[in-house]
Amino acid sequence: MKDFFQKVNSYVKEAFGASKYLFDGITVTFDHLKRRPVTVQYPYEKLIPSERYRGRIHYEFDKCIACEVCVRVCPINLPVVDWVMNKETKKKELRNYSIDFGACIFCGNCVEYCPTNCLSMTEEYELATFDRHNLNFDNVALGRLPTNVTSDPTVKSLKELTYLPKGVMDPHDIPSSDPRVGKLPEEVLDWMKSSESKEEATVVK
Ligand code: SF4
Ligand code: SF4
């Protein structure tokens, strides 16, 4: 009889333990029901990179003066500036310029220090290739205009995780009723302008 009660007791304890785990799991599920999804169905959906995203570098051959400042400030001396000295004009003649994105760490130093602003960081992040040598971009490849996820009609661009209000780091923290949530950059700009003009009107009154 004693064995029987001990078995019943352990069975009840196990049943309570199992139902507690079940309840914990359901609580987590219900907690996530309140949140916006953060999974992106790449490549059919793509996030719009943030305003200061450091993607593939764009280069303007005509503006480059072959000063090699970009090489000196690069932590790995990566840019290759191919130039020859023209003895008649006593000026450098630029032949080629290349950056190997297989080695670049996208720190932005070269862009920051270039005296003629011929380098800029774009929002292009899709550089995957089957051959790593294809990542060595010459001046023609570097001069190609960047692709933009918002202008590709085959892709649904997602904006929830990018244009958050100032100071907000976690998209789960902001209510969906916030006027900036889910807006494209130009829509955010319009909203900011209209709210600024409203504030000015209130001050004048
Ligand atoms: S710093 Fe700018 S101008 Fe000078 S070599 Fe590099 S890209 Fe050209
Ligand atoms: S982004 Fe940084 S690592 Fe890449 S080429 Fe420029 S300075 Fe070098």
Side-chain angles (χ1 to χ4, degrees):
M1 198 66 180
K2 192 181 168 191
D3 283 355
F4 172 74
F5 281 116
Q6 272 180 345
K7 277 183 187 170
V8 170
N9 190 25
S10 85
Y11 177 77
V12 170
K13 271 186 188 167
E14 279 177 24
F16 266 112
S19 47
K20 183 179 172 299
Y21 283 125
L22 199 64
F23 180 75
D24 287 348
I26 290 173
T27 314
V28 172
T29 307
F30 278 105
D31 184 42
H32 278 76
L33 282 179
K34 291 183 291 180
R35 301 181 180 187
R36 281 196 299 280
V38 291
T39 311
V40 174
Q41 304 296 326
Y42 184 86
Y44 309 107
E45 297 176 339
K46 289 178 190 172
L47 289 175
I48 302 172
S50 52
E51 287 166 52
R52 297 172 70 184
Y53 184 80
R54 298 201 297 256
R56 196 261 296 172
I57 292 168
H58 179 254
Y59 168 74
E60 292 172 75
F61 187 86
D62 295 344
K63 283 164 76 175
C64 182
I65 54 172
C67 63
E68 294 187 273
V69 166
C70 52
V71 185
R72 287 197 292 277
V73 296
C74 176
I76 45 177
N77 294 354
L78 188 60
V80 177
V81 190
D82 180 13
W83 56 269
V84 288
M85 180 61 84
N86 186 326
K87 287 179 182 162
E88 287 178 14
T89 58
K90 292 185 180 170
K91 282 185 178 174
K92 287 176 177 177
E93 267 180 22
L94 187 61
R95 293 285 167 87
N96 202 350
Y97 184 94
S98 64
I99 295 177
D100 185 354
F101 290 116
C104 176
I105 56 169
F106 300 92
C107 64
N109 265 6
C110 52
V111 175
E112 190 72 26
Y113 288 96
C114 174
T116 60
N117 289 335
C118 61
L119 296 169
S120 55
M121 313 254 11
T122 69
E123 57 182 42
E124 194 175 310
Y125 55 84
E126 291 171 310
L127 297 170
T129 172
F130 287 106
D131 183 355
R132 64 192 291 272
H133 297 103
N134 291 342
L135 290 171
N136 196 357
F137 280 37
D138 65 1
N139 50 282
V140 178
L142 285 169
R144 183 174 51 77
L145 286 174
T147 54
N148 187 334
V149 292
T150 54
S151 60
D152 186 346
T154 62
V155 170
K156 185 181 177 192
S157 51
L158 300 180
K159 39 216 168 153
E160 273 76 7
L161 303 185
T162 49
Y163 294 95
L164 300 173
K166 192 179 175 187
V168 176
M169 301 303 287
D170 184 355
H172 296 127
D173 286 347
I174 48 169
S176 53
S177 57
D178 190 289
R180 284 180 65 130
V181 171
K183 294 275 190 294
L184 282 169
E186 55 269 25
E187 292 169 335
V188 172
L189 204 63
D190 286 344
W191 170 76
M192 285 172 76
K193 280 179 187 165
S194 66
S195 50
E196 267 173 22
S197 55
K198 272 182 198 167
E199 274 176 22
E200 278 171 15
T202 325
V203 172
V204 171
K205 278 179 189 175

